Each structure stands twice: as C-alpha cells, then as structure tokens.
Amino acid sequence: MTATHAKKPIFSRIAAALLIVAASWVGWSTIMPTEQAQSSTGPVEVVNYTVRPGDTLWSYANRVTPQGGNVAQTVQELKQLNNLDSASLTPGQSLLVPVQ
C-alpha cells in the first residue's frame, strides 16, 4: 500500500464530514431562518412567514400576538416591518415576523 492510498480514505472522510456539516447548516437555516430587521426601536430578530390562502393580516397577527397582547399593535408592527401600505395579503407573500 502506498502513502497516496492511505491518505485517500482520510481525505474522503474529511471531505464527506465537511459536506454533511455544510448540508446540515443549510438545511437548518432553511427550516429555521432568523434574520434581523430594523424597526423604529432598533434591530429586531425576525423569522420569515409565507402567507397561506385564507390568511389575513389581522388573523395572522392574532395568532402571533402573545395572550393578553394588543392585536392591533401587532398589525401595525407587521405593516411597518414589512413596508405594507394596507392590510391586504397574497398567498405566497413573505412576511418578516418579530421573534417573541
């Protein structure tokens, strides 16, 4: 066995391990993407939400507003964060949503 043959399996294992780590990182960041957006109070950690058929800004805000929170305030925050002129949403539209 030559030195080249002995190094090949180690290099292959390292390359495979790096590929697995990279693929895991990409997969995780696709499932749980977090970003930062600017609001009037400074940077805010956000996640992306894709609007589904039947969603309204009010119904979605109602789902993400903590119990006892002000849904109208959440609607205004979502409109501001996403530069929305109205409360109209379209299925497939992407919304930035603050992490609670």
Side-chain angles (χ1 to χ4, degrees), residues 21-76:
V21 169
S24 298
W25 180 76
V26 168
W28 180 255
S29 57
T30 301
I31 294 169
M32 296 297 292
T34 57
E35 301 174 30
Q36 285 211 342
Q38 291 293 329
S39 75
S40 59
T41 59
V44 176
E45 188 174 354
V46 295
V47 294
N48 281 312
Y49 172 74
T50 302
V51 175
R52 293 181 271 172
D55 280 346
T56 65
L57 193 56
W58 186 267
S59 68
Y60 181 70
N62 191 43
R63 286 198 311 259
V64 299
T65 301
Q67 189 167 354
N70 185 338
V71 177
Q73 184 177 348
T74 302
V75 168
Q76 288 305 321

